Amino acid sequence: MSDNSVSLSRWLIEQQRTHGQIPASLRLLIEQVARACKRINRAVNRGATSGILGSLGSENVQGEVQKQLDVIANDVLLEANEWGGHLAAMASEELERIHVIPHRFPRGEYLLMFDPLDGSSNIEVNVTIGTIFSVLHLDEGVEEVEARHFLQPGRRQVAAGYCTYGPQTTLVLTLGQGVSVFTLDAEQGSFVLVQEGLRIPESTREFAINMSNMRHWAPPVRRYIDECLAGTEGPRGKDFNMRWIASMVADVHRVLQRGGVFMYPWDRREPDRAGKLRLLYEANPMALLVEQAGGLAIAGTQRILDIQPTELHQRAAVMLGSREEVERLRLYHQEYEASAAA
Ligand code: P6P
């Protein structure tokens, strides 16, 4: 770390002191989450040498096979955040119910939600995975925290971020005043500021979607992708490129860094399910980051951040990234709904 580099701790203190942006309790919360991400990173980096890459043979609340590292990451985040006095409760993709801070510890004003290890199907093949987190305020005067207190629209998040475990270990964070990026300096063991005020390019020629689901998509999504595939011979008059890492943190990080559209839309494989990704601890934090960087995040005609949650683990359709392209997608959904209503 060079002399003029800014550590995450220093940056957070400056946000608290000079910008009056965040109270000490939120600064402590972010520092604890970052510390937990460093521990998760070390476990991920050990890989097969530590015998923890395999599956547990159990399923999580989502009905997905749990990897050992999913549970390890979840436990690291719970343990790192329950004693600090900044939280009232936590919710995790890996836990069916909320985790209320035990009475032996002081309780704070925040609620923390996370996907402890997103993309864990990529663990065995050494593809970038990560932790996604979201922070809400607990409503005033609540004595006994319940799951319903987490059911707040994403626009009410006070902070959101993710940490990628890949070629670099990178923490991407918003406190509601823009997006900042920190990379782990392994020698120092601390996150160092590398970008502030990150902006997503408004236009793009790159989309990310799992093309194997094409026959199951709704018409507006099919229309958009067909036009991209038609390239210079089609209505868009330009060629597009496609990427799909099948790890949301990796795909969204690319979109934040160079533009693009990330899509996991509703499809008719499970028509009663809004989408594959979870609203509270995947779609909402990523949507806040993308919109704080000047992009747009929609579920169809609706902004993701405006969705009123009804269940802790509910899912949402996700289309987010470069504003021009996501606005086009939103228009196609609006036109489709108007024609269906006519
Ligand atoms: P598919 C990983 O399992 C995940 O939840 C996201 O990180 C990723 O974007 C998506 O699912 C990949 O889904 O159906 O392409 O394997």
Side-chain angles (χ1 to χ4, degrees):
M1 190 159 76
S2 66
D3 292 344
N4 60 0
S5 60
V6 176
S7 71
L8 174 65
S9 298
R10 175 179 162 189
W11 185 85
L12 286 169
I13 287 169
E14 288 172 356
Q15 301 310 307
Q16 176 191 338
R17 185 174 61 211
T18 50
H19 305 298
Q21 250 196 66
I22 59 170
S25 53
L26 182 56
R27 173 172 60 82
L28 174 62
L29 169 49
I30 300 299
E31 285 182 333
Q32 293 300 92
V33 170
R35 192 165 294 122
C37 288
K38 286 192 279 190
R39 285 179 57 196
I40 295 168
N41 179 58
R42 283 196 297 276
V44 170
N45 289 168
R46 282 197 296 271
T49 61
S50 59
I52 56 173
L53 287 190
S55 297
L56 286 171
S58 54
E59 287 190 347
N60 65 12
V61 64
Q62 323 289 340
E64 292 170 344
V65 172
Q66 270 184 319
K67 305 282 186 178
Q68 292 179 74
L69 273 172
D70 284 324
V71 174
I72 290 168
N74 188 63
D75 292 347
V76 165
L77 281 157
L78 293 176
E79 188 278 327
N81 284 287
E82 67 176 358
W83 51 267
H86 47 276
L87 283 181
M90 294 181 255
S92 167
E93 179 185 271
E94 299 301 327
L95 297 176
E96 184 169 1
R97 295 180 178 77
I98 65 170
H99 178 88
V100 179
I101 299 302
H103 288 298
R104 67 180 181 279
F105 297 124
R107 283 192 190 174
E109 61 188 292
Y110 295 110
L111 301 173
L112 175 66
M113 297 155 283
F114 46 81
D115 177 357
L117 202 58
D118 175 70
S120 49
S121 59
N122 290 299
I123 291 173
E124 286 90 350
V125 293
N126 198 19
V127 167
T128 295
I129 52 182
T131 297
I132 309 172
F133 62 92
S134 169
V135 183
L136 291 168
H137 249 296
L138 175 64
D139 293 339
E140 296 287 329
V142 172
E143 288 301 318
E144 290 304 318
V145 189
E146 298 170 19
R148 63 189 173 86
H149 296 116
F150 285 79
L151 304 184
Q152 303 179 31
R155 63 177 180 272
R156 291 181 56 183
Q157 293 171 95
V158 294
Y162 62 83
C163 190
T164 64
Y165 311 122
Q168 298 118 42
T169 301
T170 296
L171 179 70
V172 180
L173 173 68
T174 183
L175 303 173
Q177 308 285 324
V179 176
S180 299
V181 183
F182 304 82
T183 294
L184 184 64
D185 176 329
E187 287 167 22
Q188 298 291 325
S190 56
F191 283 105
V192 175
L193 181 68
V194 294
Q195 274 181 286
E196 264 194 305
L198 186 148
R199 304 298 291 173
I200 298 182
E202 296 238 332
S203 61
T204 182
R205 294 183 177 209
E206 194 161 72
F207 64 88
I209 195 167
N210 183 335
M211 292 294 286
S212 68
N213 301 325
M214 177 179 267
R215 67 187 185 281
H216 305 301
W217 295 335
V221 172
R222 183 66 191 263
R223 174 184 174 191
Y224 176 79
I225 297 296
D226 282 347
E227 291 180 356
C228 290
L229 296 175
T232 50
E233 291 95 60
R236 302 298 309 273
K238 58 184 180 179
D239 290 335
F240 282 75
N241 191 25
M242 195 211 89
R243 287 285 183 275
W244 188 248
I245 303 173
S247 174
M248 187 183 196
V249 287
D251 279 313
V252 172
H253 191 67
R254 184 192 58 253
V255 167
L256 279 167
Q257 289 294 341
R258 73 182 191 205
V261 183
F262 169 86
M263 302 168 72
Y264 213 112
W266 169 94
D267 69 51
R268 58 177 61 86
R269 289 175 294 170
E270 296 200 45
D272 298 334
R273 214 174 68 165
K276 173 178 184 181
L277 303 175
R278 295 79 176 180
L279 176 60
L280 290 187
Y281 40 81
E282 288 177 332
N284 272 343
M286 293 309 202
L288 185 65
L289 286 163
V290 162
E291 296 206 354
Q292 282 285 315
L296 179 63
I298 63 173
T301 56
Q302 189 178 21
R303 275 175 78 222
I304 287 172
L305 295 178
D306 291 333
I307 296 173
Q308 174 54 55
T310 54
E311 292 169 27
L312 196 62
H313 298 292
Q314 82 180 61
R315 299 169 189 263
V318 177
M319 291 165 272
L320 54 77
S322 293
R323 179 165 286 274
E324 282 177 17
E325 291 303 311
V326 182
E327 280 175 346
R328 176 184 290 266
L329 264 164
R330 191 180 198 177
L331 174 64
Y332 289 4
H333 280 81
Q334 289 164 342
E335 290 176 349
Y336 175 70
E337 285 194 6
S339 65

